[in-house]
């Protein structure tokens, strides 16, 4: 995409996300309409749906030829998503936190052009922290440029994990835990990416849907993090899949442990 | 304690903690001197020690007959701690977060008179959130009074846990997990208490030293939380011990599960 068009896309997405966030804040003290999806802890609220509709409408008007993938509705990733412009929308990431904490949730949009990362934006609504940028723009927290990931051994870092994977020791995850400085669980991919991008945690190991990873992948890869499946292969962005996000040294150590080379 | 003396104690502790926090913030971008204590993930820094010395000196000068128990130095709880005034000091709670995240740590002081909760104060230094009060004063976040704990079933709430207990399924902790809305791990007792007091998590299950629990216990009990050992007995405040902090309904459910009535 031409630089001028990319600046316009960046400005537009920031504006629309801030508008969705302003609406979300007006709802934060109201009763929510909460429904379950795949299970009792997989929630969707009226605000998720309203944000999805608002953001989808803005994007479709400005980019009528683009493809949209969203957590709430239009959830299938089209086979030809790697052609042209594709927007992945997560209108409320961390819906359980939104419902129970009324904080620690994010609105996220990731944009890909011909399958390549173009632009990502994650907004921690209640903390008013906006993470945005891409390979051509650099990565920013509000107006401050963020530093590249620190490439340290696994033992130097904190890791964020999926609770169920940790409890069941899926893919040797408990062995990863014993090699690092500790585990944190924040309950939202977007909030976890905020900690990664600020250098507060080193790695994130979880199962993420395309809308959970799309924005964070653009931001993290631009800062030098890698995003790989548990077996070390590239992720597909086509389905919910296990993945590791970490800088080079740590991700190599994690892939080795998760593939049980000690078996 | 007389009301006027209690107000003076409250004002003094707030002032001293804010002074220690101002010093801590000056050190946040400096290299730290980090040492290990019981193991590689049990850290102490020069700032922990400086804050401990500063707070202990202020308290000793103002309350020369009081007993002091602190995480860094003077760590033994005296057998006669239930006589007169006792101050429990945690100069940096969440030292791993302090070192790795430079955020998400707290300074905490709990004050007991003849063994009874008198005053508690927890300061989330980087978020500038001060939680303080006691049974005679009420409980506040900065200047706003906090609401009582919501007494809901376990399934309605998020719980915070000790990672190692969760991984090893100590005291059936994984069964507690499967009965609640989800797990969060923040890496600091003080930060966890901040979430409890704001109503963002329902329960906290961990092994806590006297200086980890002293302030939070005063604040949480005043808001209607209970603090019990895993077997449902009162805690001792004499040693590091397993404990549950939750409102009445949830703590009854948790005690039942942790004592394996289903075995």
């Amino acid at each position: 995409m031409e630089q001028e068009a990319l600046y316009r896309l960046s400005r537009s997405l920031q504006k629309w996300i801030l508008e969705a966030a302003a609406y979300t804040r007006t709802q934060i003290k109201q009763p929510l309409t909460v429904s379950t999806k795949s299970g009792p802890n997989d929630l969707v609220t009226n605000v998720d749906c309203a944000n999805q509709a608002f953001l989808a409408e803005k994007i479709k008007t400005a980019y009528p030829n683009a493809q949209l993938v969203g957590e709430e509705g239009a959830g299938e990733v089209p086979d030809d998503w790697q052609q042209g412009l594709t927007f992945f929308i997560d209108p409320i990431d961390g819906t359980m936190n939104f419902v129970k904490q009324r904080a620690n949730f994010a609105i996220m949009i990731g944009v890909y052009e011909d399958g390549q990362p173009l632009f990502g934006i994650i907004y921690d609504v209640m903390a008013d922290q906006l993470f945005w940028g891409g390979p051509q723009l650099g990565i920013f927290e509000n107006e401050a440029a963020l530093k590249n990931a620190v490439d340290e051994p696994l033992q130097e870092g904190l890791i964020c994990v999926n609770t169920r994977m940790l409890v069941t020791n899926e893919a040797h995850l408990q062995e990863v835990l014993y090699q690092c400085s500790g585990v944190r669980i924040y309950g939202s991919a977007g909030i976890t990416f905020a900690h990664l991008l600020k250098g507060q945690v080193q790695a994130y190991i979880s199962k993420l849907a395309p809308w959970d990873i799309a924005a964070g992948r653009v931001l993290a890869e631009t800062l030098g993090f890698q995003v790989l499946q548990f077996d070390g292969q590239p992720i597909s962005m086509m389905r919910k899949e296990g993945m590791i996000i970490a800088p080079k040294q740590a991700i190599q150590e994690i892939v080795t442990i998760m593939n049980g080379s000690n078996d």
Side-chain angles (χ1 to χ4, degrees), chain A:
Chain A
M1 184 178 280
E2 299 276 334
Q3 197 76 1
E4 192 45 54
L6 181 57
Y7 286 140
R8 192 163 57 241
L9 181 147
S10 170
R11 285 193 302 271
S12 297
L13 286 182
Q14 292 189 51
K15 180 168 180 286
W16 300 334
I17 279 204
L18 292 175
E19 286 177 28
Y23 166 75
T24 304
R25 277 191 217 98
T26 67
Q27 300 299 303
I28 207 81
K29 292 190 189 266
Q30 308 294 323
L32 298 169
T33 307
V34 182
S35 312
T36 57
K37 294 190 291 184
S38 64
N41 294 339
D42 185 15
L43 306 181
V44 59
T45 76
N46 54 308
V47 180
D48 297 66
C49 297
N51 284 353
Q52 173 84 32
F54 170 80
L55 293 168
E57 192 271 335
K58 291 289 187 190
I59 293 167
K60 277 191 175 163
T61 303
Y63 301 95
N65 297 323
Q67 304 200 67
L68 259 66
V69 182
E71 179 167 13
E72 311 312 337
E76 289 288 296
V77 181
D79 286 335
D80 64 346
W81 79 272
Q82 301 206 34
Q83 293 173 21
L85 217 49
T86 304
F87 291 74
F88 295 83
I89 304 172
D90 196 335
I92 296 278
D93 175 74
T95 302
M96 184 64 81
N97 283 354
F98 177 61
V99 171
K100 299 292 181 187
Q101 304 195 327
R102 305 294 167 112
N104 307 316
F105 60 89
I107 305 175
M108 312 198 288
I109 300 176
V111 190
Y112 290 68
E113 187 176 34
D114 296 331
Q116 297 303 308
L118 180 72
F119 185 79
I121 182 164
I122 297 176
Y123 188 48
D124 177 342
V125 174
M126 302 313 286
D128 188 24
Q129 291 181 338
L130 189 71
F131 300 87
W132 60 279
Q136 294 171 250
L137 297 170
I139 306 298
F140 299 84
E141 177 188 347
N142 297 331
E143 299 310 315
L146 288 172
K147 291 184 192 150
N148 279 343
V150 177
D151 189 20
E152 290 183 316
L154 177 60
Q155 68 177 19
E156 294 299 323
L158 297 168
I159 65 171
C160 287
V161 300
N162 172 299
T163 303
R164 197 161 290 244
M165 282 188 62
L166 183 66
V167 166
T168 59
N169 196 25
E170 186 175 336
H172 304 267
L173 186 54
Q174 294 178 5
E175 291 167 45
V176 178
L177 154 67
Y178 291 123
Q179 299 300 321
C180 74
S181 287
V183 163
R184 302 290 178 265
I185 297 178
Y186 297 120
S188 152
I191 299 303
T192 303
F193 269 107
H195 286 81
L196 278 169
L197 299 169
K198 289 190 277 187
Q200 296 183 322
V201 301
Q202 182 193 51
Y204 182 24
I205 303 171
S206 191
K207 295 182 181 178
L208 300 175
W211 45 83
D212 294 321
I213 183 62
R217 179 186 165 193
V218 178
L219 302 172
E221 284 187 349
T222 304
L223 290 179
F225 290 87
Q226 298 183 5
V227 181
L228 298 173
Q229 292 189 59
F230 297 157
D231 62 5
Q233 295 300 306
I235 63 169
S236 76
M237 304 279 296
M238 293 290 290
R239 66 190 73 83
K240 188 169 185 171
E241 59 198 332
M243 59 186 79
I244 313 161
I245 300 99
K248 193 174 171 189
Q249 281 189 64
I251 209 166
Q252 286 174 347
E253 290 185 66
I254 293 167
V255 168
T256 301
I257 296 169
M258 293 186 82
N259 289 282
S261 64
N262 298 326
D263 285 358

